[in-house]
Amino acid sequence: MPRHAGPVRRDSVVMNALSTIDLARISAMDRRHAERLLMGVRDATLSGRRPLVLPRPVIGESWVRMMSGGIDPDRGLQSSPLGEEQLEQRRRASPLAEVLPVMRHALVSVADAAQHIMVVSDADGRVLWREGNAAVLRRADALGFAPGADWSEDVMGTNGVGTPLVVRRPVQVFSAEHFVRSQHAWTCTGAPVTDPRDGRLLGVVDVSGPLRTMHPATLALVDSVAKLAEARLREGHERSLNRLRAVAAPLLARLGGRALAVDVHGWTAAVTGMPPEDRLALPKSLMAGRSWLPSLGVCRVEPLPGGWLLRPEVPGGEPEPPVAARLVLDVSGARRWTVSALGGVRDWTHELSPRHAELLYVLSTHPKGRSAADLARDIFGDPARTVTVRAELSRVRRYLGALLEHRPYRFSEDVRVDVVLPDDPAALLPHSTAPAVRRARGVAGP
């Protein structure tokens, strides 16, 4: 069996059954041997050679994106930091400001003792807040890892802030797993935080520090803090819904016919005269007056404190818009995807969640349709997960309606479906681990 430099055996220390880097074993190695091994993997990959040990999939796929995007592996790309006024504006606008004390309480004391810093970014990868060990903060300044700096993946390469924003799951990046050489003295662990009201990506909470502080358990810690932050945001949302409910319930009790009160994200606070739904798809440009909503038809819309009063018009009023002639599914972006219905009385666009983007993309590649078991295999690699697939597609039908048929699931034959893809197949839905999406990217595996 070939050997690496030093007493480290490839099979006994750094390889698992799939000949892929194993961070748990790497962390137990002598630091210099670990650095040398990871540097060899990176250098071989960047030069087009097959490394003796494969990078972890999340790292290898990120490196492919970086090479396709022309990121300088020595310095990254140049991006100007935000000015103080711009930084303060972003801090005030970020929902993460509400849960910053929770993250600070859970992480800063641990990070300081372990010679780490806690970093919180927004959804663009801009560093908003940074706290922790003073010596490490000074080293971070020298690296440009400072408030206002842009640490998105397409600027600074594979890292613990930018990469979790793209793949939408926790990521630990150790030494030469960073694409940019200047970051190799660091270990970074980040987890995305999403808004429980609409699934929107809010940013990343990250713990970073010198190589000697690397520990695999940091990933679980940071992920748990991100989930705690989301739980606090969810509690805040419930409080705001209760305030809207207190205003709307007496109002709805006096109204005849059908009516409901929803918050600005479409969550239902109160309803009368019609079956309740947890959430409605609302257009971003909703205004007082008359508006057409995909799930309700034409409604009278009135503002309420923290939301809207919606009164669907009785049958016989303005007819429902006909089925659109064309759907445009845009999955070209790294972090935002949309579906647009065009050619009807009213055109509309709906922003997609990561899961809905996967499902609609897969359906767009199968014009004759897919069964729930087929889609479960496509998305999860497990044909038994049909309950999850059916639940998600039930939510999709709330805004696509008759444009999405079932038995099997497919787009209506009467609508033309155009798909906008990224220029590079490797950049397709980079968050996705769905087998069908990975195959479309050209990634080997199931």
Side-chain angles (χ1 to χ4, degrees):
M1 175 69 68
R3 294 177 181 269
H4 292 283
V8 182
R9 285 183 54 193
R10 190 177 92 183
D11 57 340
S12 64
V13 180
V14 300
M15 296 182 63
N16 59 23
L18 297 177
S19 301
T20 302
I21 291 293
D22 184 334
L23 274 193
R25 293 177 177 177
I26 283 285
S27 65
M29 292 174 60
D30 173 81
R31 181 169 61 87
R32 292 188 183 279
H33 290 155
E35 289 180 67
R36 189 180 303 120
L37 170 75
L38 291 172
M39 181 65 76
V41 172
R42 173 184 176 274
D43 289 348
T45 302
L46 267 59
S47 65
R49 295 179 287 112
R50 183 177 178 86
L52 293 176
V53 185
L54 298 177
R56 293 181 294 139
V58 69
I59 300 299
E61 290 177 19
S62 175
W63 287 353
V64 170
R65 292 193 295 273
M66 299 307 95
M67 290 185 285
S68 298
I71 304 298
D72 186 333
D74 292 317
R75 293 177 298 178
L77 297 180
Q78 298 300 312
S79 177
S80 300
L82 298 174
E84 281 298 324
E85 184 176 346
Q86 293 174 304
L87 177 59
E88 286 304 318
Q89 287 175 349
R90 290 208 183 204
R91 284 172 170 170
R92 288 192 297 268
S94 174
L96 293 179
E98 179 184 339
V99 292
L100 183 61
V102 172
M103 296 186 287
R104 179 183 291 128
H105 177 75
L107 283 179
V108 171
S109 61
V110 176
D112 191 16
Q115 292 189 302
H116 279 94
I117 57 174
M118 179 193 78
V119 175
V120 178
S121 83
D122 64 12
D124 295 327
R126 289 285 183 174
V127 177
L128 298 184
W129 295 281
R130 196 190 64 163
E131 300 180 41
N133 184 274
V136 179
L137 286 171
R138 289 193 293 271
R139 293 182 62 177
D141 286 337
L143 191 64
F145 200 22
D150 185 348
W151 275 72
S152 58
E153 195 187 60
D154 54 4
V155 169
M156 294 303 293
T158 310
N159 71 86
V161 171
T163 301
L165 287 173
V166 172
V167 301
R168 292 192 175 224
R169 60 186 185 274
V171 178
Q172 190 166 36
V173 186
F174 177 64
S175 185
E177 290 187 318
H178 290 92
F179 187 77
V180 176
R181 187 182 301 273
S182 61
Q183 301 163 29
H184 288 182
W186 284 80
T187 175
C188 305
T189 305
V193 182
T194 58
D195 193 326
R197 298 169 297 184
D198 56 12
R200 180 168 54 100
L201 191 60
L202 298 178
V204 160
V205 56
D206 166 272
V207 166
S208 294
L211 281 184
R212 65 180 180 276
T213 64
M214 184 267 183
H215 195 286
T218 308
L219 187 68
L221 172 64
V222 175
D223 186 30
S224 67
V225 172
K227 287 181 168 57
L228 178 62
E230 291 173 349
R232 292 291 185 269
L233 290 169
R234 191 173 295 109
E235 291 170 4
H237 180 223
E238 287 296 327
R239 289 193 295 271
S240 67
L241 269 182
N242 286 335
R243 288 192 295 269
L244 176 58
R245 190 172 291 119
V247 172
L251 176 62
L252 264 60
R254 298 194 298 269
L255 294 175
R258 301 184 300 161
L260 68 163
V262 299
D263 71 4
V264 295
H265 301 282
W267 290 94
T268 302
V271 63
T272 185
M274 57 190 297
E277 289 193 33
D278 289 340
R279 189 183 179 201
L280 300 178
L282 299 180
K284 287 188 175 182
S285 57
L286 187 63
M287 299 175 62
R290 297 175 78 241
S291 182
W292 179 81
L293 305 181
S295 56
L296 296 177
V298 178
C299 297
R300 280 178 286 169
V301 180
E302 301 173 33
L304 290 174
W308 301 97
L309 174 65
L310 306 178
R311 304 180 69 180
E313 293 191 347
V314 296
E318 183 177 335
E320 298 264 335
V323 171
R326 178 174 171 236
L327 273 181
V328 178
L329 175 64
D330 188 342
V331 290
S332 62
R335 299 196 290 270
R336 183 176 179 271
W337 319 279
T338 61
V339 61
S340 300
L342 308 174
V345 174
R346 294 176 178 84
D347 296 341
W348 53 268
T349 296
H350 182 78
E351 189 164 335
L352 298 171
S353 70
R355 182 67 74 216
H356 289 185
E358 291 173 332
L359 284 165
L360 293 182
Y361 167 73
V362 171
L363 287 176
S364 76
T365 65
H366 293 87
K368 294 184 178 179
R370 300 292 274 171
S371 68
D374 290 334
L375 287 170
R377 186 182 295 107
D378 292 334
I379 301 301
F380 303 110
D382 180 1
R385 294 188 63 177
T386 56
V387 172
T388 303
V389 166
R390 290 191 180 103
E392 291 292 349
L393 286 171
S394 176
R395 297 183 181 101
V396 172
R397 285 174 63 85
R398 291 177 188 172
Y399 51 87
L400 284 187
L403 298 173
L404 183 66
E405 299 180 357
H406 62 294
R407 297 179 184 172
Y409 292 106
R410 63 197 186 281
F411 291 109
S412 168
E413 293 180 0
D414 297 327
V415 64
R416 190 181 98 198
V417 180
D418 294 329
V419 183
V420 183
L421 298 169
D423 293 335
D424 183 355
L428 173 66
L429 300 176
H431 70 281
S432 179
T433 59
V437 176
R438 288 171 59 85
R439 287 193 295 271
R441 290 194 208 119
V443 177

